[in-house]
Structure formats: C-alpha cells, structure tokens
Amino acid sequence: MLSERNEPGININTAEDPIEYALPGITQVQVIREKGMNFPLILRAFLRQDPDVILVGETRDSETAKTAIEAALTGHLVLTTLHTNDAAGAISRLNEMEVEAFQVSSSLVGILAQRLVRKVCADCRISYTPSSEELGRFGLSSSGGDVTFYRANTIAPEQAEAARAAGELCQTCQGAGYKGRVGVYEVMRITENLQKMISDGAPAEHIKEAAVEEGMQTLLSYSLNLVEQGYTTLEEVERVTFTDTGLEAELKARRKTILSCATCSAELHHDWLDCPYCLTPRFQSTEAK
C-alpha cells in the first residue's frame, strides 16, 4: 500500500517496531523505548513535518490511538494495525482505548481484516461430498450447484516414513496435506450509515450486520469462496475464520432478501420483522429455531 503511494511529491513517514523492510523514498523511524522514542512521541514529531501519509506500525495504547486519530482529523492519511477478530472489532478496540466515538466516526475511512489459511495440496487432495449437517454448520446448502469439495490427505508423522518407503508419500507436501497459504480479507468501507452507527455507539455486531447488508464480504464468506474454488478445505475455514458472529451476520443478510416465513411459508412484507400468522421472528438465528 505504501509502495503504491510512494511517488515524488508525497511525503510518507512511518513509525515501526521494528523496521522490517527498507523502502526507498520513505522516511522510516525505529521505535526505541529505552530512549523514550515511542509511537506517540514519533507521531507528534511527524505532524510538525506536515506529512501526507503516516504509518503507525501498531496501535497498542490509548495515547498512540488518540494521537493517530488527531492526525487523521487534521487531514493526514493514517495507516495502522490493531489486534481484533474482524473489521468491526477494530471500532470496539478503539473505544476500549478511550477514543471518543465521534472521533472514530469522523476520522475512519475503512478497515481491512486479514487472515491466512493453508492451501490444500493440489497434487494429493481428496475430493468428497460433505454431509448436509457439515454444510449447514457453515450456512451452506447441499443444493448449491456443481461444487467440488476437497479434504487434505494428511499423513501422521509416524506413518510418513512407511509411506515414503512405499513410494506413496506426496512429493509436493510431504504428507502435510497442505502447501503454501492464501490470504482471506474483509474490507469494511465506512459509509454514512456506518458512520452514524459508530457515532451513536452501536455494538460491533450491529455494525458488522449493517456492513454485510451494504455488500461487505466477511472473512467467513471469503474463505468459503476459496473452498468452492478448491484452494482450501472446510476444516481449515473452521480452524481460522469460522465464528458464530460471522455466520450470524451472513445469515441475517440472506434472510433480509427472503420474503417468506421460514416456519409457515407465508408471504411477508419487506418491512415486517415478525410473521403475523405464526409470530416467528424473521431474523432469528438458526440456533434459536
């Protein structure tokens, strides 16, 4: 991202701990806590140089968060990282750092959450048909079209030597079942609706649901697309990206496009929250049924 914006005439400053890659044309500063050179101090020094882009390696405390927000509110593009479960969780994390909700809503442009899942080995993967129960756990249907699912051909370490001697060990993954990794992304663009919800102090789950309704693809949805494309497995999705909140946001977004009651199949109006005939909540979770 910095390389894309690294052009003559654009002043880019970074505060990092540590500096992992040297980037020509960019001012990079190493944090040295023993000498008092922490993130907030470096950020304040940056602001006196009127940079166009500021990168904060990691926002770990309230002082760093507030200084970064103030820099963003004064017209600078600020990039930083937070440790959260998903994109919406970054908003809750900033609130925990005592950043005011109106400051977050006024300064935030977008949030990118990312994970890495292992790629199933293309040379020894095993195709199979998941049960309806397994698919249902991920909110998938067995009538979802012509999709081939794969599982990893993992060989236990104690059996690897025997398989190698018999010439049955995969030369690509050496029995691991996986080779390489692929990124999973969740991009939340802050729209006017989300901005208002953040300013009003809405819970992260509600913000996530609203973002999904506006077209955001969750980590779960993105990783399931990778499964359908044959890049990874349902087991890997469950290990890395599967969460109940992610599934709930996906299911609620799908139900809002369905205008029939799940219990009595009666036709519903798009403004109704409950079925007037059997009183079934239209957006109730799968677990509550």
Side-chain angles (χ1 to χ4, degrees):
M1 188 177 294
L2 288 180
S3 298
E4 291 178 356
R5 292 184 171 271
N6 189 11
E7 300 176 358
I10 297 182
N11 184 10
I12 302 177
N13 294 347
T14 73
E16 304 174 61
D17 184 23
I19 297 175
E20 298 182 359
Y21 301 99
L23 301 174
I26 294 178
T27 302
Q28 296 174 270
V29 179
Q30 167 74 51
V31 171
I32 308 176
R33 290 184 176 80
E34 295 78 9
K35 297 185 178 181
M37 285 184 58
N38 52 25
F39 283 116
L41 180 68
I42 296 172
L43 268 174
R44 285 192 288 270
F46 282 168
L47 292 177
R48 288 193 288 271
Q49 302 176 36
D50 192 27
D52 300 299
V53 181
I54 299 174
L55 169 71
V56 182
E58 184 179 348
T59 299
R60 304 173 181 173
D61 53 67
S62 176
E63 188 179 5
T64 303
K66 290 179 178 179
T67 307
I69 290 290
E70 289 170 4
L73 288 172
T74 53
H76 305 88
L77 175 61
V78 180
L79 308 172
T80 189
T81 61
L82 293 166
H83 289 288
T84 63
N85 291 327
D86 53 21
I91 298 167
S92 299
R93 186 75 183 97
L94 289 172
N95 291 336
E96 291 171 3
M97 292 181 181
E98 301 178 351
V99 180
E100 297 291 342
F102 74 89
Q103 291 182 312
V104 177
S105 65
S106 300
S107 61
L108 200 57
V109 175
I111 308 170
L112 168 66
Q114 58 183 3
R115 296 287 184 276
L116 289 173
V117 296
R118 294 177 296 173
K119 294 175 64 176
V120 65
C121 179
D123 293 333
C124 66
R125 62 188 181 182
I126 303 170
S127 61
Y128 77 110
T129 302
S131 65
S132 57
E133 290 79 10
E134 184 178 4
L135 291 173
R137 175 167 170 73
F138 296 94
L140 301 176
S141 171
S142 55
S143 59
D146 187 16
V147 178
T148 303
F149 291 86
Y150 297 95
R151 62 162 54 101
N153 186 19
T154 304
I155 298 177
E158 58 272 15
Q159 299 174 345
E161 286 301 324
R164 181 179 289 107
E168 299 174 352
L169 188 68
C170 176
Q171 297 302 307
T172 301
C173 68
Q174 298 296 312
Y178 296 91
K179 182 67 174 180
R181 295 189 291 181
V182 62
V184 178
Y185 305 99
E186 179 178 285
V187 181
M188 178 184 289
R189 295 178 176 86
I190 305 303
T191 62
E192 289 186 8
N193 179 44
L194 295 182
Q195 193 175 43
K196 184 178 185 305
M197 292 182 69
I198 295 169
S199 182
D200 292 342
E205 311 86 69
H206 295 175
I207 294 173
K208 182 169 187 172
E209 290 170 8
V212 171
E213 290 174 24
E214 294 179 357
M216 183 187 80
Q217 189 172 29
T218 63
L219 290 169
L220 177 60
S221 175
Y222 194 108
S223 58
L224 289 175
N225 285 345
L226 293 178
V227 171
E228 294 177 353
Q229 296 169 27
Y231 285 109
T232 191
T233 64
L234 289 175
E235 291 81 3
E236 187 68 358
V237 169
E238 182 170 14
R239 186 183 73 87
V240 178
T241 66
F242 182 82
T243 62
D244 290 336
T245 56
L247 179 60
E248 186 64 20
E250 288 290 333
L251 292 178
K252 282 192 175 183
R254 292 178 194 174
R255 291 191 193 103
K256 289 195 175 183
T257 64
I258 299 174
L259 296 180
S260 62
C261 177
T263 302
C264 67
S265 301
E267 185 176 349
L268 303 177
H269 190 275
H270 70 276
D271 290 332
W272 293 349
L273 297 180
D274 300 323
C275 174
Y277 309 105
C278 66
L279 303 181
T280 299
R282 183 170 156 209
F283 306 129
Q284 67 178 351
S285 64
T286 304
E287 293 80 359
K289 290 183 179 178

